[in-house]
Amino acid sequence: MTNKAIAQQLKLAGSLVELTGGNAFKARAYGASSRAMETLDRPATDLVRSGTLADAPGIGKSIARDIEELLESGEIGAISEMLATVPPGLLDVLKVKGLGPKKVRVLWQELEITSLDELEGAAVAGRLASVPGFGAKTAENVLKSIEQLQTYAGKVHFGQVFDDITGLVEMLRGAEGIHNVEATGAFRRQLEVVDLVELVVDGGIEAALAALATNGCSMEPGQGAKPLHGRTSFGLPISVHLTSPDSFGTVLWRTTGSDDHIEAFSAKFGEPDDTADEDDIYDLAGLRGIPPCLREDDGELEAAEEDILPNLLRLEDFKGTLHNHTTYSDGAHTLREMTGRARTMGLEYFGVCDHSRSLQVAHGLPIEKLMEQMEAIAVLNDEYANDGGPPFRIFSGTECDVLADGSMDYPDEILDRLDVVVASIHTNFGLPEAQQTERMLNAAANPHVDILGHLTGRLLLKRDGYPIDHAAVISACAATNTCIELNANPWRLDLDWRWIRRATDVGIPIAINPDAHSMDQLTLVRWGVMVAQKGWLTADQCLNTKPADELAAWLHGRNAT
């Protein structure tokens, strides 16, 4: 468990103490320890093993015991006890922007609000205005936040359920009476958000229901029609399309493609006959097989007709990663730990891009600390070059904040000393589109900025991105030979795949980075690759497929072209 995950649990504990009217000192202690946990320069697991966690700044013996309990059992007993005394719906109310635990407790005690529905009703009816500290503007903001939460309800990140869905498919394939199973729908098209598990199953209804029940799916009673409906053990609704061997391919094809893809194909080539293999459908139409991830009616049929479908980027094409964090800022693991893990993964290079000085919430590096880190990188690079291991290079860098006026958080003379500069926005999300766009245009115009990071700042299913003029930013990056990042964290996946072709069509390379804050997060790049494939990205169009020396030459000379 990372320090950040532990900090989140401690923050929850503090919120629950406030929500339940507990000791204010204890609530503050949990809050302080949560912040302290994020600043630790070593993983808490190491401190527990060495018996020194209680000595860490801001922790103390009592909180240390809670953390040890969390690491040992997966939960903090005090949290479980408090949760048992709180209406479950209050945790949803806590998610509403602008309502901290104190305000939620007031709403609970004064208006008996215990769910989002009750909160929405009170806001619409004007009852919030009767509570001290609440007014018309608060009610308006509450309604906007509830609407956003309802939009996200029932949806999960693709990566969050990938193992669950693929595991379910594999288990069903081995079940008695089941001859073939494939996942289909949005999941097979590799959409970044999933709200339904869809399967195509070759097997009888009784065998299918028995296999689904054995694997934790609760199916609706009285099933007799196709498809079958129910809910998986991991919480998503499930729809199962039963078919015979002779029509398996056709059903799989029809349930995989978007409605627009299916309609466009049928209008041009006619309704396909039943077939066991969906590739036959494209073959009989005289087309190359179209990868499921491209079936969005976005030019893939025309490309297949002209035999110019792209050879999509693969995970094995990757040579390294450029945007990562260490304990110098808000990462969970040290420079040596992060780079060592990257090296054992077979990567050729690793970019260190800790946060810049103004982002204090993420412990951004003052200039002197950045210089100290650069020296540490030089020492470690020398060690790696002479230890007999595989070639490996660390690129010194920064995730430099783009300030509200569009200037960079470090002066140019500092940026000039770094190997790679990722420019990102982390503050002032509420600025108008024109101003946000201008910030990005200024960043792209800075000759020291190599990559624009997570372009809209979105957090999928949590926060919409700030508005920008994508076309204008893409044009600016093309003019200045600036790369755009596809941030592979499943909460971000930003640049959105729908804009990737607009960027690559004008020659902009895409850097797929995990934005790793811990060693295990280095594997997040897999989600970036899967979403990049939806954007037709090829290995040649991806920055991270360059060997280390070629990448170094690009970083050094891109503004000289």
Side-chain angles (χ1 to χ4, degrees):
M1 184 175 289
T2 66
N3 289 1
K4 182 172 287 188
I6 296 170
Q8 289 172 344
Q9 288 297 304
L10 296 175
K11 181 179 179 180
L12 172 62
S15 295
L16 286 170
V17 170
E18 286 191 86
L19 190 59
T20 55
N23 185 288
F25 175 80
K26 186 68 171 177
R28 288 194 295 272
Y30 274 124
S33 63
S34 175
R35 294 186 292 274
M37 180 59 56
E38 291 186 336
T39 67
L40 285 181
D41 58 2
R42 290 180 59 194
T45 49
D46 289 354
L47 298 178
V48 169
R49 280 193 289 268
S50 64
T52 59
L53 180 61
D55 299 327
I59 302 300
K61 292 182 179 180
S62 176
I63 302 295
R65 285 194 295 270
D66 285 338
I67 294 172
E68 291 168 2
E69 181 183 7
L70 175 63
L71 293 174
E72 182 177 344
S73 67
E75 63 179 12
I76 297 175
I79 290 180
S80 300
E81 292 173 7
M82 288 185 286
L83 285 174
T85 68
V86 171
L90 275 184
L91 296 183
D92 292 328
V93 178
L94 274 175
K95 298 175 183 177
V96 175
K97 291 180 181 178
L99 296 186
K102 289 182 179 179
K103 285 189 173 181
V104 172
R105 176 171 173 79
V106 169
L107 293 173
W108 178 23
Q109 300 298 313
E110 298 293 328
L111 299 182
E112 298 184 350
I113 289 174
T114 61
S115 69
L116 281 179
D117 287 343
E118 292 172 353
L119 177 61
E120 183 178 24
V124 170
R127 294 172 58 213
L128 293 188
S130 66
V131 180
F134 293 82
K137 187 62 177 178
T138 300
E140 180 183 343
N141 291 335
V142 162
L143 288 173
K144 287 180 180 178
S145 181
I146 291 174
E147 181 181 2
Q148 190 176 58
L149 290 171
Q150 290 171 337
T151 300
Y152 298 154
K155 300 178 181 179
V156 296
H157 302 128
F158 177 88
Q160 187 178 342
V161 291
F162 182 87
D163 290 340
D164 290 320
I165 294 176
T166 54
L168 176 61
V169 168
E170 288 304 311
M171 288 188 287
L172 291 176
R173 281 178 179 158
E176 184 177 355
I178 302 297
H179 310 296
N180 198 5
V181 182
E182 290 286 354
T184 188
F187 178 80
R188 191 168 185 238
R189 294 204 311 281
Q190 298 171 200
L191 281 168
E192 63 269 49
V193 170
V194 177
D195 60 6
L196 173 68
V197 178
E198 286 193 85
L199 305 179
V200 177
V201 175
D202 173 9
I205 185 170
E206 296 301 328
L209 288 172
L212 289 163
T214 299
N215 288 283
C217 298
S218 304
M219 306 307 292
E220 294 178 3
Q223 298 282 1
K226 303 175 186 178
L228 310 179
H229 298 287
R231 187 165 290 273
T232 65
S233 61
F234 45 92
L236 281 181
I238 184 171
S239 182
V240 180
H241 305 270
L242 295 177
T243 185
S244 65
D246 292 340
S247 59
F248 187 91
T250 305
V251 174
L252 181 61
W253 172 80
R254 191 175 299 281
T255 55
T256 294
S258 70
D259 291 343
D260 289 340
H261 175 87
I262 299 301
E263 290 174 10
F265 179 95
S266 299
K268 184 173 289 193
F269 303 104
E271 289 289 332
D273 296 328
D274 284 349
T275 180
D277 187 346
E278 71 172 355
D279 286 342
D280 294 342
I281 295 172
Y282 295 109
D283 288 342
L284 291 171
L287 306 178
R288 278 181 57 189
I290 299 176
C293 63
L294 299 187
R295 300 180 198 174
E296 300 285 355
D297 190 30
D298 192 25
E300 68 275 10
L301 290 172
E302 292 77 10
E305 285 186 281
E306 298 175 30
D307 199 21
I308 56 171
L309 283 170
N311 293 317
L312 298 175
L313 174 74
R314 305 166 304 164
L315 185 59
E316 50 265 39
D317 294 323
F318 263 69
K319 298 292 192 294
T321 173
L322 289 169
H323 175 185
N324 307 282
H325 298 268
T326 73
T327 50
Y328 274 90
S329 64
D330 61 342
H333 294 105
T334 65
L335 173 65
R336 179 179 292 275
E337 289 169 331
M338 293 292 285
T339 56
R341 174 64 63 84
R343 198 183 191 200
T344 61
M345 289 170 60
L347 298 180
E348 294 183 16
Y349 51 84
F350 180 95
V352 179
C353 289
D354 278 308
H355 291 289
S356 60
R357 57 184 177 179
S358 73
L359 198 65
Q360 290 304 302
V361 69
H363 319 299
L365 278 63
I367 290 175
E368 59 271 19
K369 194 72 172 178
L370 180 64
M371 296 298 103
E372 176 188 317
Q373 184 185 68
M374 290 177 66
E375 293 175 4
I377 289 171
V379 170
L380 200 50
N381 265 331
D382 185 64
E383 178 182 325
Y384 286 146
N386 294 284
D387 67 0
F392 187 79
R393 177 170 178 174
I394 309 169
F395 289 101
S396 64
T398 178
E399 184 180 16
C400 190
D401 256 46
V402 183
L403 304 181
D405 63 357
S407 62
M408 302 303 295
D409 195 21
Y410 289 134
D412 284 351
E413 58 267 25
I414 297 300
L415 299 179
D416 187 50
R417 299 179 63 178
L418 299 166
D419 294 322
V420 58
V421 174
V422 176
S424 302
I425 288 176
H426 292 102
T427 57
N428 298 107
F429 290 169
L431 297 177
E433 178 177 322
Q435 198 168 343
Q436 296 288 27
T437 300
E438 191 65 25
R439 293 172 80 181
M440 280 298 185
L441 297 182
N442 286 338
N446 187 304
H448 303 290
V449 171
D450 302 295
I451 303 170
L452 295 188
H454 46 73
L455 206 57
T456 71
R458 73 181 185 183
L459 294 177
L460 287 166
L461 305 183
K462 187 175 182 180
R463 178 182 75 204
D464 291 340
Y466 42 77
I468 63 167
D469 183 339
H470 279 79
V473 174
I474 287 171
S475 294
C477 288
T480 58
N481 196 23
T482 304
C483 178
I484 297 178
E485 177 184 73
L486 195 172
N487 191 295
N489 188 300
W491 284 93
R492 293 191 182 274
L493 298 175
D494 184 16
L495 179 71
D496 189 286
W497 62 266
R498 296 160 186 85
W499 287 98
I500 290 176
R501 286 171 70 194
R502 290 285 295 274
T504 56
D505 282 349
V506 293
I508 297 172
I510 304 297
I512 301 179
N513 294 311
D515 193 359
H517 285 68
S518 62
M519 291 187 291
D520 60 308
Q521 287 186 355
L522 288 170
T523 62
L524 294 180
V525 72
R526 65 190 290 205
W527 311 125
V529 171
M530 298 189 83
V531 168
Q533 289 173 342
K534 290 195 68 60
W536 298 48
L537 195 70
T538 67
D540 290 342
Q541 297 167 330
C542 181
L543 194 66
N544 313 68
T545 61
K546 295 180 183 293
D549 288 345
E550 188 178 333
L551 174 65
W554 184 89
L555 290 169
H556 178 74
R558 67 177 185 83
N559 287 297
T561 59

